[in-house]
Amino acid sequence: MTAADPTMAALTAAVERGRAGDRLGARERLAELWRQVGPAGDPLHRVTVAHFLADLQDDVRDELAWDERALADVAELTDERTARFDPGMQVRGFLPSLQLSVADCHRRLGDPVAARRHLAEAEQLVHVLADDDYGRLIRAALTQIRDALDEGSTDLLRAAP
């Protein structure tokens, strides 16, 4: 990673807090970061905060709203901006995970048509991911969500993106 980015550092700390079991504290911290960044703030910050804030919601409808916000905001994100944070990062690398998150929310809400539409978008984009831990995680989630859709399941999946 390149230049220090205090917002991304605070975001990472909040995500780690949530993964350590403090979902409420992490959600509150990310919501505070969202207020600081604002709707016209740095697109990298908006996309990342919204994407991770979605994972901390207790209601799938709220999760979907945050995931859709992240997906909408990624349209303003540029490779130039992502490279200032991490030279190897590109916008297209965000898209499979964002599409899968939206697909999984629609699946859990019982809307297989919307879920399959977003799953198809993710399937068309997944080739941009490297064969690394992240790429394998997203490919496994794609398979898991597709299988759950085929089974008609609306259950929460353990390893969804």
Side-chain angles (χ1 to χ4, degrees):
M1 290 182 213
T2 57
D5 185 327
T7 301
M8 293 301 280
L11 187 147
T12 299
V15 169
E16 289 173 4
R17 184 176 181 178
R19 289 180 179 157
D22 185 6
R23 285 176 50 88
L24 178 59
R27 184 170 56 224
E28 289 172 351
R29 180 62 179 125
L30 287 172
E32 179 182 326
L33 286 171
W34 180 260
R35 287 188 295 276
Q36 289 172 7
V37 169
D42 183 324
L44 177 62
H45 297 157
R46 291 191 339 251
V47 169
T48 311
V49 170
H51 186 52
F52 284 109
L53 196 50
D55 294 339
L56 295 168
Q57 300 305 306
D58 294 327
D59 184 293
V60 70
R61 289 174 294 276
D62 294 332
E63 182 178 348
L64 177 60
W66 283 108
D67 280 331
E68 287 176 331
R69 183 171 287 146
L71 188 59
D73 286 350
V74 80
E76 295 179 39
L77 188 56
T78 65
D79 287 338
E80 178 185 358
R81 172 57 185 108
T82 60
R84 286 197 320 264
F85 176 68
D86 181 340
M89 187 182 287
Q90 294 184 319
V91 174
R92 65 187 186 156
F94 284 70
L95 296 173
S97 178
L98 295 174
Q99 290 287 354
L100 281 177
S101 293
V102 172
D104 193 51
C105 286
H106 281 296
R107 179 193 64 79
R108 289 169 37 219
L109 287 167
D111 186 350
V113 173
R116 287 190 190 282
R117 185 175 66 247
H118 288 281
L119 183 66
E121 289 289 331
E123 287 172 326
Q124 290 178 357
L125 298 165
V126 76
H127 72 277
V128 305
L129 300 177
D131 186 20
D132 57 10
D133 288 344
Y134 177 73
R136 286 186 291 275
L137 173 75
I138 298 303
R139 285 180 184 89
L142 191 148
T143 299
Q144 193 177 26
I145 293 167
R146 184 186 323 107
D147 290 349
L149 268 168
D150 290 346
E151 294 167 6
S153 173
T154 58
D155 294 339
L156 180 64
L157 301 175
R158 281 191 246 170

